[in-house]
Amino acid sequence: MRPVFNTPGIKRGFLGGSALVLSVPLILMLSSCSTPGGATATAPSSAASQSELGDCGLVPDVAVQDPDGAVAALPSDIQAAYNGYPEPVLASAWKSLPKSEGPVKVGLSYLPPANPFGAAVVAQLDKSFAEAKAAGLVEGELVKRILPDPATMTPAEQIRGYQELVREGVDVILTSPLSGDAMLDVVNQAGEQGIVTVSLSATIKSKYAINVADNSYLNVAQPTAEVMKQLGGKGNVVIVRGVPGIPTDQYGYDAAKAVMAKCPGINVVGEVVGNFVPAATKSAMLQFLASHPQQIDAVVQVGTMGSGVFSAFEQTGRPLPKVVDAGASAASLAYWDKAHKESGYDTAGTGGNGTQQAAVLFDVAMKTLAGDGPTVSTMTRVPSLITSAGLSEYAVSGADTSSPLEVLDGEPWMPKEYRNKFFTK
């Protein structure tokens, strides 16, 4: 049942229209395609000390947009996770939400689970819901409105499903919006009716939303900085973009450029577009390499396309550059692991999987409805940095370079003691 509110400003309203500004959450949209094979050769590392590199190899500090002072009120170790966070962080409307009276009704507005991450998210939410039902915290079934086709889905279609969940009387909606900006109006209006929205990966800039996400700036900036250090601040670099014009792509691209701007010895020799799909990335890289015979020392890709880059270099037989493996997959780590064992190849990437993130998403929703008092609209963390030293914690044993699997857990993703710091209780 929906909790009773005595909180000022929480009232019932009518669901209206929305802006249609696309903001695709990075790893929920993407295909897991890759091509079998293994890495062939490695680019030499000329790592230098930080004193020799100066600011090269460091992640630039970029202040978070904190209009309500909500981030400034968090513990200092949590504040560090907001470096460069590209969206405003607001004070949460649910800080004083009273505890729900009895079990709650939960809805899910989600994108097509057409890749390992998405499938893992839905499977974990089903599991978390069943456990909560056994504990008497939720009622009925997990009410789902999942978009059927990634090729034809639109923000308007997702909004219609979200509005259906509101009309069905759910108390909380779990989502990953195709467009956070397009969802803003309906989330605000649902919030005025006392309905909590908890979003995974993509940001909805509303005080009524609780966004649970990696920091998309640090997700690319951290491994790029590490690779710059491994190169000694010198070399030719290619940038692989996802879908130019989509905020997530832009945030990663800006992060990579900001890091490399601190390295005068780095020469960006070109950019390709991989559409966040490894197979498309491979094709684009092959076309680029055919007309660029010069040595490539590193490839910075903004997320989940690492296996496509590895596969392209393998097919051409050219020396393998350091691939910034942001949003690593089992397939990309299989290339990396093989090359490391053969020649000591090293690079850097970031880890995390849908199972971990979905479990946190559901827990945040339950804590909010339990009256624990979330203080901010966005809960983020410093992404898990992968280097060869910790590769075994993320690489899937026995996986090959065509594996459709996610990476292993590695370090905990927002463990309980960490996420508790975002709540008043």
Side-chain angles (χ1 to χ4, degrees), residues 210-397:
I210 304 171
N211 306 294
V212 180
D214 267 326
N215 184 328
S216 56
Y217 171 82
L218 292 179
N219 194 57
V220 174
Q222 281 196 151
T224 301
E226 178 64 25
V227 165
M228 294 303 104
K229 286 190 284 189
Q230 293 175 8
L231 290 174
K234 301 175 182 179
N236 293 331
V237 177
V238 177
I239 299 175
V240 180
R241 303 194 63 169
V243 180
I246 289 177
T248 303
D249 169 82
Q250 191 65 48
Y251 300 150
Y253 179 74
D254 290 346
K257 295 284 282 187
V259 170
M260 291 189 289
K262 301 291 185 180
C263 305
I266 291 296
N267 179 32
V268 177
V269 296
E271 299 179 4
V272 303
V273 175
N275 293 316
F276 291 126
V277 179
T281 301
K282 176 182 178 180
S283 177
M285 280 301 309
L286 288 172
Q287 292 181 38
F288 179 87
L289 293 173
S291 58
H292 292 77
Q294 70 265 49
Q295 176 176 315
I296 306 298
D297 299 295
V299 176
V300 179
Q301 60 86 30
V302 300
T304 73
M305 300 174 285
S307 61
V309 177
F310 281 115
S311 184
F313 277 89
E314 177 197 52
Q315 181 167 319
T316 62
R318 292 176 58 168
L320 181 64
K322 293 182 179 295
V323 179
V324 173
D325 201 12
S329 65
S332 65
L333 294 191
Y335 278 112
W336 180 351
D337 186 48
K338 182 175 183 293
H340 178 70
K341 290 174 179 176
E342 290 176 348
S343 60
Y345 174 84
D346 196 15
T347 186
T350 52
N353 61 49
T355 299
Q356 290 176 303
Q357 295 181 37
V360 172
L361 181 79
F362 194 89
D363 182 69
V364 166
M366 292 298 100
K367 284 178 65 62
T368 300
L369 293 174
D372 285 0
T375 61
V376 293
S377 65
T378 297
M379 301 177 184
T380 192
R381 66 169 202 139
V382 175
S384 301
L385 183 66
I386 307 174
T387 63
S388 293
L391 193 57
S392 62
E393 298 175 14
Y394 296 90
V396 178
S397 178

Side-chain angles (χ1 to χ4, degrees), residues 25-216:
L26 180 60
I27 46 183
L28 302 182
M29 286 285 297
L30 314 179
S31 166
S32 300
C33 303
S34 58
T35 302
T40 55
T42 63
S45 174
S46 55
S49 68
Q50 195 63 62
S51 60
E52 295 174 302
L53 290 172
D55 288 339
C56 180
L58 299 178
V59 176
D61 290 329
V62 180
V64 65
Q65 302 171 65
D66 187 22
D68 301 329
V71 175
L74 292 170
S76 58
D77 60 324
I78 301 294
Q79 292 181 39
Y82 289 89
N83 179 22
Y85 194 83
E87 303 279 6
V89 179
L90 309 174
S92 177
W94 309 116
K95 184 176 181 179
S96 300
L97 181 70
K99 182 179 180 179
S100 300
E101 298 176 0
V104 298
K105 190 172 182 179
V106 184
L108 173 63
S109 170
Y110 201 63
L111 307 178
N115 56 74
F117 183 93
V121 167
V122 174
Q124 179 58 47
L125 290 178
D126 283 334
K127 179 180 178 182
S128 294
F129 184 89
E131 292 170 348
K133 188 172 182 178
L137 300 176
V138 300
E139 63 182 5
E141 302 297 328
L142 178 59
V143 187
K144 298 176 181 176
R145 294 293 184 274
I146 298 178
L147 298 177
D149 187 352
T152 61
M153 62 185 177
T154 64
E157 183 182 10
Q158 185 173 29
I159 288 168
R160 284 194 294 272
Y162 180 97
Q163 291 174 315
E164 289 176 5
L165 294 173
V166 171
R167 288 193 291 269
E168 291 197 28
V170 300
D171 301 293
V172 60
I173 299 176
L174 311 175
T175 189
S176 183
L178 180 59
S179 167
D181 288 342
M183 294 285 286
L184 181 59
D185 286 348
V186 292
V187 169
N188 281 341
Q189 294 161 20
E192 290 172 353
Q193 298 182 61
I195 300 171
V196 178
T197 298
V198 188
S199 172
L200 181 65
S201 297
T203 300
I204 303 171
K205 291 175 280 192
S206 168
K207 66 180 181 179
Y208 296 113
I210 304 171
N211 306 294
V212 180
D214 267 326
N215 184 328
S216 56

